[in-house]
């Protein structure tokens, strides 16, 4: 039985609050600075106000990172510099607080949750409650998931988003962990943006030229299978993703349905975002790109979704690390809009009438 896209459906995604956006733009013109002088910080503050539906916006009080972990069968075909055992080991590292995502989350006041969707190892019950299987299929020669598994993974992502929002999360950050996961990400990005494989294939964990050639061949083979289901997002996830990426897709779409802003991370989360936008059109209005990934597929995702990254630091780790690096800037932009004095409040002379007219 083939997967029918209608088996997985999302309500219409609400649009951000246009009145709050207009109020935020107007407020920036009254703050004690020349109009536009804080550049992108002003745009980011307006973005937050529109997503919170209020002006001035409030600083985020409970930013939450959710790292979706899973292994990929294609990793057994020499496409990564690390063995697949590292995925399970990194899950333990996350839980112990020793990974980059933990350090960066502490720096920003965010908290971290790890979810095992398809790790090829036993993990503690605290992370494995939604586990779909051990490792996803090798997508260059077989489907990543069964019909039932892809639905379970998408619905797990939806459930996790609901759990976090219902628990008070006011900003979500999606992260990933999985040896070999940039290979299915490249397949999804290539097929959904119409880009040739060689323009999407990156070095991932730092592979050499031989491994890069193996990875490119695997992606070409996987693309032949992906193109047959291009018009069905659920079937595409079943064929070419993995339980972790399918769950990320459901998570990103549901966050938008729930009017909760999301900071996107790198290329794997970006690939899931492309599919989520197909499943829940308009979801991208609730996402902000934390950074521009150094992986070749990263800029393709941003262009396709019309997202401008906050940072460009040459990062390609994943885990949510790039999004967390951007969070302090987003917080600063929010506080500027909410806490700076207006010209009237400070008793400072505003712009001349001629200058005000220009703005």
């Amino acid at each position: 039985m083939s997967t029918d896209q209608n088996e997985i459906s999302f309500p219409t995604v609400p649009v951000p609050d246009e009145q709050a956006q207009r109020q935020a733009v107007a407020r920036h013109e009254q703050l004690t600075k020349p109009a536009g002088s804080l550049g992108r910080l002003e745009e980011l503050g307006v973005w937050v106000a529109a997503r919170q539906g209020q002006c001035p916006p409030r600083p985020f009080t409970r930013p939450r990172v959710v790292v979706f972990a899973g292994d990929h069968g294609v990793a057994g075909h020499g496409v990564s510099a690390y063995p697949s055992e590292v995925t399970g080991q990194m899950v333990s590292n996350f839980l112990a607080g020793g990974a980059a995502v933990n350090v960066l989350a502490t720096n920003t006041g965010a908290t971290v949750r790890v979810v095992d969707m398809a790790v090829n190892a036993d993990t503690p019950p605290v992370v494995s409650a939604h586990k779909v299987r051990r490792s996803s299929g090798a997508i260059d020669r077989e489907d990543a998931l069964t019909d039932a598994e892809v639905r379970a993974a998408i619905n797990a992502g939806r459930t996790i988003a609901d759990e976090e929002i219902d628990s008070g999360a006011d900003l979500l950050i999606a992260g990933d962990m999985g040896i070999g996961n940039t290979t299915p990400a490249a397949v999804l990005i290539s097929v959904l943006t119409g880009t040739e494989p060689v323009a999407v294939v990156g070095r991932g964990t730092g592979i050499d030229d031989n491994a890069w050639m193996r990875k490119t061949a695997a992606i070409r083979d996987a693309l032949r299978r992906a193109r047959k289901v291009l018009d069905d997002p659920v079937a595409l996830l079943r064929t070419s993703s993995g339980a972790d990426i399918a769950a990320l897709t459901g998570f990103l779409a549901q966050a938008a349905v729930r009017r909760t802003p999301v900071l996107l991370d790198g290329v794997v989360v970006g690939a899931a975002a492309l599919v989520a936008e197909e499943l829940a059109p308009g979801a991208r209005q609730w996402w902000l790109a934390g950074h521009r990934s150094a992986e070749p597929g990263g800029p393709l995702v941003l262009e396709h979704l019309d997202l401008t990254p906050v940072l460009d630091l040459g990062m390609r780790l994943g885990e949510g690390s790039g999004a967390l690096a951007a969070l302090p800037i987003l917080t600063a932009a929010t506080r500027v809009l909410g806490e700076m004095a207006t010209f009237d409040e400070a008793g400072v002379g505003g712009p001349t009438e001629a200058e005000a007219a220009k703005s």
Side-chain angles (χ1 to χ4, degrees):
M1 184 182 74
S2 64
T3 299
D4 181 350
Q5 182 181 338
N6 293 327
E7 292 177 341
I8 295 286
S9 62
F10 288 85
T12 300
V13 175
V15 298
D17 191 314
E18 294 181 4
Q19 182 177 358
Q21 179 169 325
R22 289 193 297 270
Q23 290 173 342
V25 171
R27 179 172 171 81
H28 259 304
E29 294 175 355
Q30 299 303 315
L31 299 181
T32 48
K33 58 177 176 56
S37 59
L38 286 177
R40 186 84 196 282
L41 278 183
E42 298 188 16
E43 296 175 20
L44 293 174
V46 171
W47 188 92
V48 174
R51 275 73 194 167
Q52 291 183 349
Q54 64 179 52
C55 179
R58 64 187 183 278
F60 297 107
T61 58
R62 195 175 184 278
R64 181 71 155 165
V65 187
V66 182
V67 181
F68 291 83
D71 279 304
H72 295 266
V74 73
H77 303 151
V79 299
S80 175
Y82 287 78
S84 61
E85 290 80 10
V86 168
T87 304
Q89 293 164 358
M90 282 300 297
V91 168
S92 298
N93 193 26
F94 294 143
L95 294 175
V101 66
N102 303 110
V103 176
L104 291 167
T106 299
N107 181 58
T108 61
T111 55
V112 179
R113 175 180 180 180
V114 184
V115 179
D116 169 6
M117 293 304 304
V119 177
N120 193 24
D122 291 328
T123 56
V126 69
V127 300
S128 61
H130 294 284
K131 188 165 185 166
V132 166
R133 58 183 283 172
R134 277 174 169 257
S135 189
S136 299
I139 59 171
D140 55 339
R141 57 198 73 184
E142 62 183 339
D143 284 355
L145 304 163
T146 66
D147 287 338
E149 287 167 349
V150 72
R151 290 195 297 273
I154 295 170
N155 285 326
R158 298 175 75 160
T159 297
I160 290 163
D162 283 336
E163 288 173 354
E164 296 302 333
I165 296 164
D166 292 341
S167 297
D170 53 1
L171 175 70
L172 293 173
I173 293 176
D176 66 275
M177 175 60 218
I179 298 303
N181 64 5
T182 59
T183 297
V187 173
L188 294 173
I189 293 168
S190 178
V191 75
L192 288 171
T193 64
T195 307
E196 287 300 311
V198 291
V200 180
V201 184
R203 297 283 174 172
T205 49
I207 54 177
D208 61 19
D209 289 346
N210 288 331
W212 186 88
M213 288 188 284
R214 289 192 295 270
K215 184 175 181 178
T216 302
I219 289 169
R220 282 186 176 137
D221 290 343
L223 270 169
R224 294 190 186 101
R225 309 181 76 258
R227 290 190 183 107
K228 298 175 183 177
V229 291
L230 172 59
D231 295 329
D232 184 341
V234 174
L236 182 61
L237 291 171
R238 183 197 72 222
T239 305
S240 306
S241 70
D244 49 347
I245 296 175
L248 270 166
T249 301
F251 179 81
L252 294 171
Q254 185 65 9
V257 168
R258 293 289 306 272
R259 300 175 176 267
T260 303
V262 179
L263 259 180
L264 299 182
D265 191 45
V267 71
V268 176
V269 172
L274 291 179
V275 188
E277 176 65 17
E278 296 291 319
L279 275 175
R284 65 184 178 87
Q285 299 172 89
W286 293 89
W287 307 331
L288 184 68
H291 75 124
R292 185 188 306 277
S293 172
E295 282 284 302
L300 294 171
V301 169
L302 299 180
E303 182 180 356
H304 190 81
L305 294 175
D306 193 24
L307 298 175
T308 304
V310 177
L311 299 174
D312 187 352
L313 299 177
M315 297 175 70
R316 55 180 175 83
L317 174 62
E319 300 180 8
S321 56
L324 282 167
L327 180 52
I329 294 175
L330 188 61
T331 300
T334 304
R335 297 185 78 102
V336 161
L337 185 53
E339 299 174 20
M340 270 186 74
T342 64
F343 288 110
D344 285 345
E345 290 167 344
V348 173
T352 64
E353 289 185 14
E355 287 301 313
K358 292 180 184 178
S359 65

